[in-house]
């Protein structure tokens, strides 16, 4: 019997998959517990349509991330902070500040957890930071730290 799984079931399949199981297992275990529904042609078509819609959405998000990565790689991010003598900063430039400035200057919203710094930025100068925009799509932003008197 073909069933559509409503939840992940170990050794059977993942949620949303159409799998073939024995009739007794389906009638006595899966269906009464609400773990699956019987898969007729309508259900199978609906699952295929939903999967295709999800794939299209993921493709659009990936393309948008690639466009954003191109912009991030080309344009430097300028951050102005207070500094002391010899270009030492009071504190440091954090991934949160970089994410906020990206939103402000480039109009690209990025979660601070997606910005990776090799080491804390504590001096004036040019630095590189890695930004993860989408699985498999990374960008390298040039952070230019300028001091305020």
């Amino acid at each position: 019997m073909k069933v559509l799984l409503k939840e992940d079931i170990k050794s059977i399949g993942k949620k949303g998959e159409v799998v073939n199981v024995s009739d007794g297992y389906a009638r006595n275990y899966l269906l009464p517990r609400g773990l699956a529904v019987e898969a007729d042609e309508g259900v199978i078509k609906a699952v295929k349509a939903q999967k295709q819609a999800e794939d299209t959405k993921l493709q659009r998000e990936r393309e948008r991330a690639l466009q954003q990565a191109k912009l991030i790689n080309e344009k430097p991010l300028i951050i102005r902070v207070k500094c002391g003598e010899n270009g030492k900063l009071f504190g440091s430039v954090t991934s949160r500040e970089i994410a906020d400035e990206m939103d402000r200057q480039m109009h690209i919203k990025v979660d601070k957890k997606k910005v990776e710094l090799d080491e804390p930025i504590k001096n004036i100068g040019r630095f590189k930071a890695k930004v993860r925009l989408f699985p498999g799509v990374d960008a390298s932003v040039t952070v230019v730290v300028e001091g305020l008197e």
Side-chain angles (χ1 to χ4, degrees):
M1 173 183 284
K2 286 189 175 185
V3 294
L4 170 68
L5 297 176
K6 289 184 173 181
E7 295 182 22
D8 291 351
I9 300 175
K10 197 172 188 176
S11 75
I12 301 288
K14 296 191 179 280
K15 179 181 179 180
E17 287 183 353
V18 176
V19 294
N20 203 7
V21 296
S22 69
D23 291 351
Y25 185 63
R27 285 195 190 103
N28 295 325
Y29 184 76
L30 296 175
L31 298 177
R33 288 179 173 76
L35 299 174
V37 293
E38 192 170 345
D40 57 3
E41 287 185 35
V43 170
I44 292 173
K45 284 182 183 178
V47 168
K48 285 182 182 178
Q50 183 180 10
K51 177 113 173 95
Q52 187 175 13
E54 288 175 7
D55 290 346
T56 304
K57 181 181 175 186
L58 283 175
Q59 184 64 28
R60 268 190 258 121
E61 288 178 8
R62 181 175 172 74
E63 288 172 6
R64 192 181 94 232
L66 287 170
Q67 290 173 348
Q68 289 177 342
K70 184 178 177 186
L71 176 67
I72 290 170
N73 288 334
E74 292 173 353
K75 187 176 177 184
L77 187 68
I78 299 169
I79 299 177
R80 291 181 175 86
V81 292
K82 290 184 178 181
C83 66
E85 295 180 23
N86 301 328
K88 287 275 194 186
L89 302 182
F90 297 129
S92 64
V93 177
T94 63
S95 58
R96 181 182 186 142
E97 289 173 305
I98 293 172
D100 291 344
E101 285 298 320
M102 285 179 65
D103 185 23
R104 194 172 302 123
Q105 293 179 23
M106 299 179 186
H107 306 291
I108 299 174
K109 289 192 182 284
V110 177
D111 186 22
K112 68 178 183 176
K113 295 174 188 168
K114 305 274 183 174
V115 177
E116 296 178 5
L117 294 168
D118 292 335
E119 56 189 44
I121 299 174
K122 296 186 178 189
N123 294 318
I124 292 175
R126 297 177 80 85
F127 302 91
K128 290 282 188 183
K130 184 177 179 182
V131 181
R132 295 208 165 143
L133 298 170
F134 191 80
V137 179
D138 296 339
S140 179
V141 64
T142 302
V143 180
V144 179
V145 180
E146 296 178 350
L148 294 174
E149 303 276 322

